[in-house]
Amino acid sequence: MSLRSLKILLTGVSGQLGHALKASAPVALGGSPLELILCDRSNLDLADPDACRAVVGHLRPDWILNAGAYTAVDKAESEAEHTFAVNAGAPRAFAEALVDCGGRLLQLSTDFVFGGAQGHPYRPDQSRNPLGVYGASKASGEEAIEELMGTSGEGLILRTSWLMGPVGQNFALTMLRLHNERDELNVVADQVGCPTSTRGLAAACWRLIEIAQGRNSLPLKCHWCDAGAASWYDVAYAIGELGKQLGLIECEAKVQPISTSDYPTPAPRPSYSLLDCRETWHALDLQPLHWRKGLQEILLELKRLRSGQPLI
Ligand SMILES: NC(=O)c1ccc[n+]([C@@H]2O[C@H](COP(=O)([O-])OP(=O)(O)OC[C@H]3O[C@@H](n4cnc5c(N)ncnc54)[C@H](OP(=O)(O)O)[C@@H]3O)[C@@H](O)[C@H]2O)c1
């Protein structure tokens, strides 16, 4: 007798987390072979709630892993309607359809759902106080899942921060390029958070689903970040050092610390965005990497990719 497969619909496959999830997808989860259905904007527009509901009715996934999102934090300020459609409308539509059809949802979320002024790590159960349009849209997506799936345990929200990987658009890849192009870099030193590698986060996503499949109870809201704390300045400095050590850049730029007020942006940034991840690290029984080690792995992976080897 053949085992019934576990059907997982993955959105955002062309994004940085989507790449890592695809590359690390297990063959089986909880004893069931995995059937992964990949969605990008060519086959599902997340801004279209009818399309999101229809795909669930048509494909009947056991899980949706919603890694797709509108992540352009500054542009979101002038594209609020579209940002909300993708970041709040899609999770709501998925949750509604999954409640009807019987399936579960793992929704990725962000430190921007908090105000960023607390001064000690945000716990998963703290109330939201989102920053900017992007933060508000992601918070609204969380609210929909809480409202529709909060009591059934069929929905999970996994928040992370400062996501970086070897593919896509992120601070690590931008800084690496700038180290190569410039003699000096001015980087904000008064915003504190924790870089998180896409690879570690992807492993956490797969583990969450595995545990939830075993019907072990998990809190509705979980936090996964790499370990430690840093400012953007610290991360930019480390990228120069590690990039040079690994031969990805010829020489590092001089990194100068500046303050948030020296670098105005359309969207407000949290000055403190550390998430308290201890409960989730423990529940998943996964050891997080220190962010600097995670960054080193990202750059090593980038080196492999540049030499023509596939993503691992
Ligand atoms: N990046 C961070 O620092 C960070 C921090 C905390 C939390 N998060 C959360 O982590 C998750 C993954 O983020 P990420 O950094 O991997 O994002 P990303 O690299 O920007 O990828 C987002 C993906 O969503 C897709 N997408 C956007 N609008 C769409 C639409 N209308 N229809 C279909 N697909 C659409 C994008 O497609 P295209 O490639 O075609 O544009 C892309 O593949 C998101 O939920 C994000 O909010 C990210």
Side-chain angles (χ1 to χ4, degrees), residues 13-59:
V13 280
S14 56
Q16 53 169 345
L17 178 60
H19 269 100
L21 284 163
K22 205 168 47 167
S24 63
V27 176
L29 265 178
S32 303
L34 193 74
E35 183 188 342
L36 197 59
I37 304 165
L38 304 177
C39 282
D40 60 19
R41 68 170 75 237
S42 71
N43 53 9
L44 177 62
D45 179 4
L46 293 174
D48 179 347
D50 291 336
C52 292
R53 278 187 287 266
V55 84
V56 177
H58 176 58
L59 295 171

Short mmCIF file of all heavy atoms in Angstrom, two decimals, residues 13-59:
data_model
loop_
_atom_site.label_atom_id
_atom_site.label_comp_id
_atom_site.label_asym_id
_atom_site.label_seq_id
_atom_site.Cartn_x
_atom_site.Cartn_y
_atom_site.Cartn_z
N VAL A 13 8.33 31.30 -4.33
CA VAL A 13 9.50 30.44 -4.61
C VAL A 13 10.66 31.20 -5.24
O VAL A 13 11.80 30.76 -5.14
CB VAL A 13 9.17 29.24 -5.53
CG1 VAL A 13 8.52 28.14 -4.76
CG2 VAL A 13 8.35 29.62 -6.72
N SER A 14 10.38 32.36 -5.87
CA SER A 14 11.51 33.09 -6.46
C SER A 14 12.13 34.07 -5.47
O SER A 14 13.11 34.75 -5.79
CB SER A 14 11.07 33.81 -7.74
OG SER A 14 9.98 34.66 -7.44
N GLY A 15 11.59 34.15 -4.26
CA GLY A 15 12.17 35.03 -3.24
C GLY A 15 13.34 34.35 -2.53
O GLY A 15 13.62 33.17 -2.76
N GLN A 16 13.98 35.10 -1.62
CA GLN A 16 15.17 34.52 -0.98
C GLN A 16 14.83 33.35 -0.06
O GLN A 16 15.52 32.33 -0.06
CB GLN A 16 16.02 35.58 -0.28
CG GLN A 16 15.30 36.47 0.70
CD GLN A 16 16.27 37.31 1.52
OE1 GLN A 16 17.48 37.06 1.56
NE2 GLN A 16 15.77 38.31 2.20
N LEU A 17 13.75 33.46 0.71
CA LEU A 17 13.37 32.32 1.55
C LEU A 17 12.83 31.19 0.68
O LEU A 17 13.12 30.01 0.94
CB LEU A 17 12.33 32.74 2.60
CG LEU A 17 11.84 31.60 3.49
CD1 LEU A 17 12.98 30.98 4.29
CD2 LEU A 17 10.73 32.07 4.43
N GLY A 18 12.06 31.55 -0.35
CA GLY A 18 11.52 30.53 -1.26
C GLY A 18 12.63 29.66 -1.84
O GLY A 18 12.49 28.43 -1.91
N HIS A 19 13.73 30.28 -2.24
CA HIS A 19 14.86 29.51 -2.78
C HIS A 19 15.37 28.51 -1.74
O HIS A 19 15.63 27.34 -2.06
CB HIS A 19 16.01 30.45 -3.16
CG HIS A 19 15.94 30.92 -4.58
ND1 HIS A 19 15.44 32.14 -4.93
CD2 HIS A 19 16.30 30.32 -5.74
CE1 HIS A 19 15.48 32.28 -6.24
NE2 HIS A 19 16.01 31.19 -6.75
N ALA A 20 15.54 28.99 -0.52
CA ALA A 20 16.09 28.12 0.54
C ALA A 20 15.11 27.00 0.87
O ALA A 20 15.53 25.85 1.11
CB ALA A 20 16.40 28.94 1.78
N LEU A 21 13.81 27.31 0.88
CA LEU A 21 12.81 26.27 1.18
C LEU A 21 12.80 25.20 0.11
O LEU A 21 12.72 24.00 0.40
CB LEU A 21 11.42 26.91 1.31
CG LEU A 21 11.17 27.67 2.61
CD1 LEU A 21 9.96 28.59 2.49
CD2 LEU A 21 10.96 26.69 3.77
N LYS A 22 12.89 25.65 -1.13
CA LYS A 22 12.89 24.70 -2.25
C LYS A 22 14.14 23.81 -2.18
O LYS A 22 14.06 22.59 -2.32
CB LYS A 22 12.88 25.50 -3.56
CG LYS A 22 12.30 24.78 -4.74
CD LYS A 22 12.05 25.72 -5.91
CE LYS A 22 13.22 26.65 -6.20
NZ LYS A 22 13.14 27.33 -7.48
N ALA A 23 15.28 24.46 -1.93
CA ALA A 23 16.54 23.71 -1.92
C ALA A 23 16.61 22.71 -0.77
O ALA A 23 17.29 21.69 -0.87
CB ALA A 23 17.71 24.69 -1.83
N SER A 24 15.92 23.01 0.33
CA SER A 24 16.06 22.15 1.52
C SER A 24 14.82 21.29 1.77
O SER A 24 14.72 20.67 2.83
CB SER A 24 16.31 23.03 2.75
OG SER A 24 15.19 23.88 2.98
N ALA A 25 13.90 21.28 0.82
CA ALA A 25 12.66 20.52 1.05
C ALA A 25 12.97 19.05 1.30
O ALA A 25 13.68 18.42 0.52
CB ALA A 25 11.74 20.65 -0.17
N PRO A 26 12.45 18.50 2.40
CA PRO A 26 12.72 17.08 2.68
C PRO A 26 11.94 16.18 1.71
O PRO A 26 10.95 16.60 1.12
CB PRO A 26 12.23 16.91 4.11
CG PRO A 26 11.25 18.00 4.33
CD PRO A 26 11.60 19.13 3.41
N VAL A 27 12.41 14.97 1.57
CA VAL A 27 11.72 14.00 0.71
C VAL A 27 10.40 13.58 1.36
O VAL A 27 9.39 13.38 0.69
CB VAL A 27 12.63 12.76 0.49
CG1 VAL A 27 11.91 11.70 -0.33
CG2 VAL A 27 13.93 13.18 -0.16
N ALA A 28 10.43 13.47 2.69
CA ALA A 28 9.22 13.06 3.42
C ALA A 28 9.16 13.85 4.71
O ALA A 28 10.18 14.31 5.23
CB ALA A 28 9.29 11.57 3.71
N LEU A 29 7.94 14.02 5.22
CA LEU A 29 7.76 14.71 6.51
C LEU A 29 6.79 13.88 7.35
O LEU A 29 5.70 13.53 6.86
CB LEU A 29 7.16 16.10 6.30
CG LEU A 29 8.10 17.30 6.21
CD1 LEU A 29 7.32 18.57 5.96
CD2 LEU A 29 8.95 17.46 7.46
N GLY A 30 7.21 13.57 8.57
CA GLY A 30 6.35 12.80 9.47
C GLY A 30 5.94 11.47 8.85
O GLY A 30 4.80 11.03 9.04
N GLY A 31 6.82 10.88 8.05
CA GLY A 31 6.52 9.57 7.46
C GLY A 31 5.77 9.64 6.14
O GLY A 31 5.58 8.62 5.48
N SER A 32 5.32 10.83 5.73
CA SER A 32 4.59 10.94 4.45
C SER A 32 5.49 11.55 3.39
O SER A 32 6.15 12.56 3.66
CB SER A 32 3.37 11.86 4.59
OG SER A 32 2.53 11.40 5.60
N PRO A 33 5.48 10.98 2.18
CA PRO A 33 6.27 11.59 1.11
C PRO A 33 5.74 13.01 0.83
O PRO A 33 4.54 13.25 0.93
CB PRO A 33 5.99 10.70 -0.11
CG PRO A 33 5.21 9.54 0.37
CD PRO A 33 4.72 9.81 1.75
N LEU A 34 6.68 13.90 0.53
CA LEU A 34 6.30 15.31 0.33
C LEU A 34 5.98 15.58 -1.13
O LEU A 34 6.75 15.24 -2.02
CB LEU A 34 7.47 16.20 0.77
CG LEU A 34 7.15 17.67 0.94
CD1 LEU A 34 6.34 17.88 2.20
CD2 LEU A 34 8.44 18.47 1.03
N GLU A 35 4.82 16.19 -1.36
CA GLU A 35 4.49 16.66 -2.71
C GLU A 35 4.49 18.18 -2.64
O GLU A 35 3.62 18.78 -2.00
CB GLU A 35 3.11 16.15 -3.13
CG GLU A 35 2.74 16.55 -4.53
CD GLU A 35 1.29 16.21 -4.88
OE1 GLU A 35 0.68 15.38 -4.17
OE2 GLU A 35 0.76 16.80 -5.83
N LEU A 36 5.50 18.78 -3.25
CA LEU A 36 5.66 20.23 -3.15
C LEU A 36 5.11 20.89 -4.41
O LEU A 36 5.52 20.57 -5.53
CB LEU A 36 7.17 20.53 -2.99
CG LEU A 36 7.54 21.91 -2.48
CD1 LEU A 36 6.94 22.20 -1.12
CD2 LEU A 36 9.07 22.03 -2.41
N ILE A 37 4.18 21.82 -4.21
CA ILE A 37 3.62 22.56 -5.35
C ILE A 37 4.19 23.97 -5.29
O ILE A 37 4.01 24.68 -4.30
CB ILE A 37 2.08 22.61 -5.27
CG1 ILE A 37 1.53 21.20 -5.19
CG2 ILE A 37 1.49 23.37 -6.43
CD1 ILE A 37 0.08 21.14 -4.74
N LEU A 38 4.91 24.35 -6.34
CA LEU A 38 5.64 25.63 -6.31
C LEU A 38 4.81 26.73 -6.97
O LEU A 38 4.36 26.59 -8.11
CB LEU A 38 6.97 25.47 -7.05
CG LEU A 38 7.88 24.36 -6.52
CD1 LEU A 38 9.14 24.24 -7.37
CD2 LEU A 38 8.25 24.60 -5.06
N CYS A 39 4.65 27.85 -6.24
CA CYS A 39 3.90 28.98 -6.80
C CYS A 39 4.76 30.23 -6.84
O CYS A 39 5.40 30.59 -5.84
CB CYS A 39 2.69 29.29 -5.92
SG CYS A 39 1.33 28.17 -6.16
N ASP A 40 4.79 30.85 -7.99
CA ASP A 40 5.35 32.19 -8.08
C ASP A 40 4.32 33.07 -8.77
O ASP A 40 3.21 32.61 -9.04
CB ASP A 40 6.71 32.21 -8.80
CG ASP A 40 6.61 31.69 -10.22
OD1 ASP A 40 5.49 31.67 -10.77
OD2 ASP A 40 7.64 31.31 -10.78
N ARG A 41 4.68 34.32 -9.09
CA ARG A 41 3.63 35.20 -9.59
C ARG A 41 3.14 34.79 -10.99
O ARG A 41 2.10 35.25 -11.43
CB ARG A 41 4.05 36.67 -9.52
CG ARG A 41 5.14 37.10 -10.41
CD ARG A 41 5.29 38.61 -10.41
NE ARG A 41 5.92 39.16 -9.21
CZ ARG A 41 5.35 40.06 -8.43
NH1 ARG A 41 4.14 40.50 -8.67
NH2 ARG A 41 6.00 40.54 -7.38
N SER A 42 3.86 33.89 -11.66
CA SER A 42 3.40 33.45 -12.98
C SER A 42 2.18 32.52 -12.87
O SER A 42 1.39 32.41 -13.80
CB SER A 42 4.53 32.75 -13.74
OG SER A 42 4.79 31.50 -13.16
N ASN A 43 2.05 31.84 -11.71
CA ASN A 43 0.88 30.96 -11.61
C ASN A 43 -0.07 31.31 -10.47
O ASN A 43 -1.13 30.70 -10.34
CB ASN A 43 1.28 29.47 -11.54
CG ASN A 43 2.31 29.19 -10.46
OD1 ASN A 43 2.61 30.06 -9.65
ND2 ASN A 43 2.85 28.00 -10.44
N LEU A 44 0.30 32.29 -9.63
CA LEU A 44 -0.64 32.75 -8.59
C LEU A 44 -0.29 34.18 -8.20
O LEU A 44 0.81 34.44 -7.69
CB LEU A 44 -0.56 31.83 -7.36
CG LEU A 44 -1.44 32.26 -6.19
CD1 LEU A 44 -2.92 32.24 -6.57
CD2 LEU A 44 -1.21 31.38 -4.97
N ASP A 45 -1.23 35.09 -8.41
CA ASP A 45 -1.04 36.48 -7.99
C ASP A 45 -1.57 36.62 -6.57
O ASP A 45 -2.79 36.54 -6.33
CB ASP A 45 -1.78 37.42 -8.96
CG ASP A 45 -1.62 38.89 -8.55
OD1 ASP A 45 -0.88 39.16 -7.58
OD2 ASP A 45 -2.23 39.75 -9.21
N LEU A 46 -0.67 36.84 -5.63
CA LEU A 46 -1.07 36.92 -4.21
C LEU A 46 -1.95 38.15 -3.93
O LEU A 46 -2.60 38.21 -2.90
CB LEU A 46 0.17 36.95 -3.32
CG LEU A 46 1.01 35.67 -3.29
CD1 LEU A 46 2.29 35.89 -2.49
CD2 LEU A 46 0.22 34.51 -2.69
N ALA A 47 -1.94 39.10 -4.85
CA ALA A 47 -2.79 40.28 -4.66
C ALA A 47 -4.24 40.01 -5.04
O ALA A 47 -5.09 40.88 -4.89
CB ALA A 47 -2.23 41.46 -5.47
N ASP A 48 -4.50 38.81 -5.56
CA ASP A 48 -5.85 38.46 -6.03
C ASP A 48 -6.46 37.42 -5.07
O ASP A 48 -6.17 36.22 -5.17
CB ASP A 48 -5.73 37.90 -7.46
CG ASP A 48 -7.08 37.50 -8.03
OD1 ASP A 48 -8.07 37.42 -7.27
OD2 ASP A 48 -7.13 37.26 -9.25
N PRO A 49 -7.32 37.85 -4.15
CA PRO A 49 -7.84 36.92 -3.14
C PRO A 49 -8.68 35.80 -3.75
O PRO A 49 -8.66 34.67 -3.23
CB PRO A 49 -8.69 37.81 -2.21
CG PRO A 49 -8.91 39.08 -2.96
CD PRO A 49 -7.80 39.23 -3.95
N ASP A 50 -9.39 36.11 -4.84
CA ASP A 50 -10.19 35.04 -5.47
C ASP A 50 -9.27 33.94 -6.00
O ASP A 50 -9.57 32.75 -5.88
CB ASP A 50 -11.04 35.61 -6.63
CG ASP A 50 -12.14 36.51 -6.11
OD1 ASP A 50 -12.53 36.34 -4.93
OD2 ASP A 50 -12.58 37.40 -6.86
N ALA A 51 -8.15 34.37 -6.60
CA ALA A 51 -7.19 33.38 -7.12
C ALA A 51 -6.60 32.56 -5.97
O ALA A 51 -6.39 31.35 -6.10
CB ALA A 51 -6.09 34.10 -7.90
N CYS A 52 -6.33 33.22 -4.84
CA CYS A 52 -5.77 32.49 -3.68
C CYS A 52 -6.77 31.46 -3.17
O CYS A 52 -6.39 30.33 -2.85
CB CYS A 52 -5.40 33.47 -2.56
SG CYS A 52 -4.02 34.55 -2.97
N ARG A 53 -8.04 31.85 -3.10
CA ARG A 53 -9.07 30.90 -2.63
C ARG A 53 -9.24 29.75 -3.64
O ARG A 53 -9.33 28.59 -3.27
CB ARG A 53 -10.41 31.61 -2.40
CG ARG A 53 -10.49 32.31 -1.04
CD ARG A 53 -11.88 32.86 -0.79
NE ARG A 53 -12.13 34.02 -1.62
CZ ARG A 53 -11.93 35.29 -1.23
NH1 ARG A 53 -11.51 35.53 -0.01
NH2 ARG A 53 -12.16 36.29 -2.05
N ALA A 54 -9.21 30.13 -4.93
CA ALA A 54 -9.46 29.12 -5.97
C ALA A 54 -8.35 28.06 -5.98
O ALA A 54 -8.63 26.87 -6.16
CB ALA A 54 -9.55 29.80 -7.34
N VAL A 55 -7.11 28.49 -5.78
CA VAL A 55 -6.01 27.52 -5.84
C VAL A 55 -6.15 26.49 -4.71
O VAL A 55 -5.82 25.31 -4.89
CB VAL A 55 -4.63 28.26 -5.85
CG1 VAL A 55 -4.16 28.62 -4.45
CG2 VAL A 55 -3.57 27.44 -6.55
N VAL A 56 -6.66 26.93 -3.59
CA VAL A 56 -6.85 25.99 -2.46
C VAL A 56 -7.96 25.00 -2.81
O VAL A 56 -7.81 23.79 -2.63
CB VAL A 56 -7.20 26.76 -1.16
CG1 VAL A 56 -7.46 25.78 -0.01
CG2 VAL A 56 -6.07 27.72 -0.79
N GLY A 57 -9.08 25.54 -3.35
CA GLY A 57 -10.20 24.66 -3.71
C GLY A 57 -9.79 23.67 -4.78
O GLY A 57 -10.21 22.51 -4.76
N HIS A 58 -8.95 24.11 -5.69
CA HIS A 58 -8.56 23.26 -6.82
C HIS A 58 -7.52 22.21 -6.40
O HIS A 58 -7.65 21.03 -6.73
CB HIS A 58 -8.01 24.18 -7.92
CG HIS A 58 -7.47 23.47 -9.11
ND1 HIS A 58 -8.26 22.61 -9.86
CD2 HIS A 58 -6.25 23.47 -9.68
CE1 HIS A 58 -7.53 22.12 -10.84
NE2 HIS A 58 -6.29 22.62 -10.74
N LEU A 59 -6.51 22.65 -5.65
CA LEU A 59 -5.39 21.74 -5.35
C LEU A 59 -5.54 21.00 -4.01
O LEU A 59 -4.88 20.00 -3.78
CB LEU A 59 -4.06 22.51 -5.35
CG LEU A 59 -3.65 23.11 -6.70
CD1 LEU A 59 -2.46 24.04 -6.55
CD2 LEU A 59 -3.33 22.00 -7.71
#
